[in-house]
Amino acid sequence: MSVSTVASAQPLCAQLPVLGRDVTVPLVTGGEVAYAALDYAASAPALQRVWDDVAAYAPYYGSVHRGAGYLSQLSTDLFENARKTVAEFLDCRPDDQLIFTRSTTDSLNLLAAAVPADCQVFVFETEHHASLLPWKDARVTYLNAPRTPRQAVETLERALADRTVSDKEGYGPALVCVTGASNVTGELWPVRELAAAAHAHGARIVLDAAQLAPHHPVSVRDLDVDWVAFSGHKLYAPFGSGVLAGRADWLQAAEPYLAGGGASRKVTRREDGGVAVEWHESAARHEAGSPNVIGAYSIASACKALTEAGFDTLVAREQHLIEKVRAGLAEVPEVRVLSLFGDDAPRVGVISFVVDGWNSSHFAAALSAEYGIGVRDGLFCAHPLVRTLLGSDPQTQGECGAPEAAPGEKSLNAIRVSFGAGTPDEHVERFVTAVKELVRDGAKWNYRTEEGRCVPAV
């Protein structure tokens, strides 16, 4: 069996088939309903195409880079071909490295461990915590939330210019970290312009594409970014896989992210009784241990599926869903949609909002229990941004995704609805109807807080 026969040739359409589309869930009011998964920004359902490809490969599973046997050779070939497929999906440069990781968070922590010791990192307060927090060993400059894309570029330019002028002994390396699309508002960021500003001031830039890659094509070359990171579980692949791709020099110069087999090329005993290690300079340097071949293959399968479906078609259909949701929410005066850049800003299928008179966790619980609709509530692991959008003290602590007060009480959290290539029109239509009914009529059930979550009272 060759690697090519593992991949399926399933035809694709604009609404891509996903796992769970036929799952039904019970309602507290009685009966069952088809589950409307509208939390794609946290984890998108796996594409049926991806699941079928993985199932076709599973009987041929073998150790990677280790074995002489046929299945080991097949798995190694599959793993390295997956690397090529994902690099093509990202339009990487010929000398870029592509490293398979566990997630976007893992990818950015890997890069943070590889930045030079004297590196200064610039990051907007609007970032997801995966981009905001890993830089503990670097000098970090946090930039205030911009209110327009142009202001974002100007803010970065000023910060980088101040760095150039203020350091009398010259300035060392610098890195800018920025999202491609907000996980809170869905708004697209001016990545190409931010990259140009970074490079004009001698800085490098890493793109957090966790929310961008599932919705829009991402070209490392066209955007002119130095690195890009994303997660498989947001790209319609199963959990546990991610990607960091980009320039090789900092990665090759850094100590391996994890020390162990696979990362080492040669290990010998020294005369003093210790060991001497020669590390790989390839991507293997940061892929110690037995690799997640199924995770890598599933990402590659998802990349192929999205490419074959055509991003033009997918983007057009998603825009249709965005307009449906935004138009429906606009008809409810009590609803306030959160935005940095304004109503006309281009965005992906991620929309956050609050409802006057409602605790957001109470509202989300009612959507689930009474309508079979799964959304997100909380601060979405982007605490400073959500607090800024809600007009609260950005220093106040909170817990990701968990309500901070009982139903009906004032609480600092919001509701997020998100969707993508596998979302049918019926799901967003049911969501809009449910929002209107809850605001007009109130919840049909009583709710209470249990272990930090708002749940139906028994």
Side-chain angles (χ1 to χ4, degrees):
M1 178 180 179
S2 66
V3 173
S4 61
T5 60
V6 172
S8 71
Q10 180 179 338
L12 296 165
C13 58
Q15 181 192 321
L16 304 186
V18 295
L19 295 181
R21 58 188 181 275
D22 298 324
V23 168
T24 59
V25 295
L27 303 179
V28 292
T29 52
E32 292 187 344
V33 67
Y35 183 65
L38 296 179
D39 192 16
Y40 276 45
S43 293
L47 290 174
Q48 185 68 53
R49 153 76 174 270
V50 173
W51 199 253
D52 292 344
D53 282 353
V54 169
Y57 161 65
Y60 301 88
Y61 180 83
S63 61
V64 175
H65 297 152
R66 305 278 198 289
Y70 180 83
L71 297 191
S72 292
Q73 293 297 306
L74 174 65
S75 294
T76 298
D77 194 19
L78 204 75
F79 185 71
E80 293 304 334
N81 279 331
R83 197 188 306 275
K84 294 176 183 177
T85 296
V86 179
E88 291 172 0
F89 178 78
L90 295 172
D91 192 23
C92 288
R93 298 161 292 241
D95 55 350
D96 283 337
Q97 279 192 355
L98 189 143
I99 300 169
F100 285 115
T101 67
R102 294 179 299 173
S103 60
T104 307
T105 301
D106 195 37
S107 296
L108 293 171
N109 274 271
L110 190 164
L111 183 61
V115 298
D118 57 345
C119 186
Q120 185 172 3
V121 176
F122 295 83
V123 57
F124 286 93
E125 68 171 351
T126 47
E127 292 292 312
H128 186 282
H129 294 172
S131 302
L132 196 69
L133 302 180
W135 319 104
K136 55 185 179 295
D137 295 328
R139 293 177 294 137
V140 185
T141 298
Y142 295 105
L143 306 176
N144 291 334
R147 287 297 181 168
T148 66
R150 181 66 241 168
Q151 189 179 80
V153 178
E154 293 171 349
T155 298
L156 179 62
E157 287 176 333
R158 282 195 302 271
L160 291 170
D162 289 346
R163 160 184 171 266
T164 304
V165 172
S166 63
D167 191 346
K168 300 298 187 293
E169 298 179 358
Y171 57 95
L175 177 67
V176 177
C177 182
V178 68
T179 188
S182 171
N183 79 304
V184 176
T185 68
E187 293 163 317
L188 298 178
W189 277 62
V191 177
R192 189 180 292 104
E193 292 81 359
L194 290 167
H199 293 153
H201 290 274
R204 299 186 182 189
I205 186 168
V206 56
L207 169 64
D208 175 353
Q211 300 297 337
L212 183 63
H215 304 275
H216 283 264
V218 174
S219 168
V220 169
R221 278 190 262 210
D222 182 50
L223 295 173
D224 197 23
V225 294
D226 297 279
W227 292 278
V228 61
F230 71 88
S231 296
H233 69 270
K234 299 186 192 299
L235 195 80
Y236 310 102
F239 285 107
S241 56
V243 168
L244 175 67
R247 296 179 61 162
D249 54 349
W250 285 6
L251 299 172
Q252 291 174 347
E255 288 294 306
Y257 187 46
L258 297 173
S264 55
R265 179 159 47 194
K266 181 180 179 182
V267 181
T268 58
R269 290 295 301 273
R270 296 194 308 256
E271 290 184 1
D272 63 4
V275 294
V277 184
E278 182 181 328
W279 303 106
H280 280 294
E281 293 186 356
S282 65
R285 184 184 189 89
H286 298 292
E287 292 178 344
S290 295
N292 180 3
V293 59
I294 286 181
Y297 183 47
S298 65
I299 288 182
S301 174
C303 290
K304 287 181 180 179
L306 294 174
T307 300
E308 291 170 10
F311 269 107
D312 287 346
T313 302
L314 294 173
V315 169
R317 183 172 183 281
E318 184 174 309
Q319 189 59 42
H320 161 73
L321 296 179
I322 293 171
E323 291 170 359
K324 271 194 172 188
V325 173
R326 287 177 59 82
L329 294 180
E331 295 175 358
V332 185
E334 293 85 353
V335 168
R336 176 166 70 93
V337 173
L338 306 183
S339 175
L340 270 177
F341 300 154
D343 289 343
D344 296 332
R347 67 195 69 228
V348 300
V350 179
I351 298 169
S352 296
F353 63 98
V354 291
V355 183
D356 288 347
W358 281 83
N359 171 280
S360 292
S361 295
H362 185 194
F363 201 89
L367 285 173
S368 174
E370 300 178 27
Y371 295 91
I373 298 170
V375 297
R376 192 80 160 193
D377 66 279
L379 300 176
F380 318 127
C381 291
H383 294 185
L385 171 57
V386 179
R387 294 179 188 285
T388 294
L389 294 173
L390 294 179
S392 63
D393 180 0
Q395 304 301 319
T396 306
Q397 293 184 350
E399 183 180 352
C400 273
E404 299 167 14
E409 296 178 359
K410 183 178 180 181
S411 179
L412 184 63
N413 56 358
I415 306 154
R416 184 181 69 191
V417 56
S418 53
F419 39 86
T423 305
D425 284 44
E426 187 275 329
H427 286 185
V428 299
E429 290 165 359
R430 194 198 318 170
F431 165 76
V432 169
T433 298
V435 169
K436 293 178 178 179
E437 289 183 0
L438 283 172
V439 172
R440 183 189 67 222
D441 304 329
K444 300 181 181 70
W445 205 261
N446 292 323
Y447 295 81
R448 60 187 175 85
T449 299
E450 180 179 292
E451 296 182 352
R453 295 299 310 166
C454 189
V455 298
V458 178

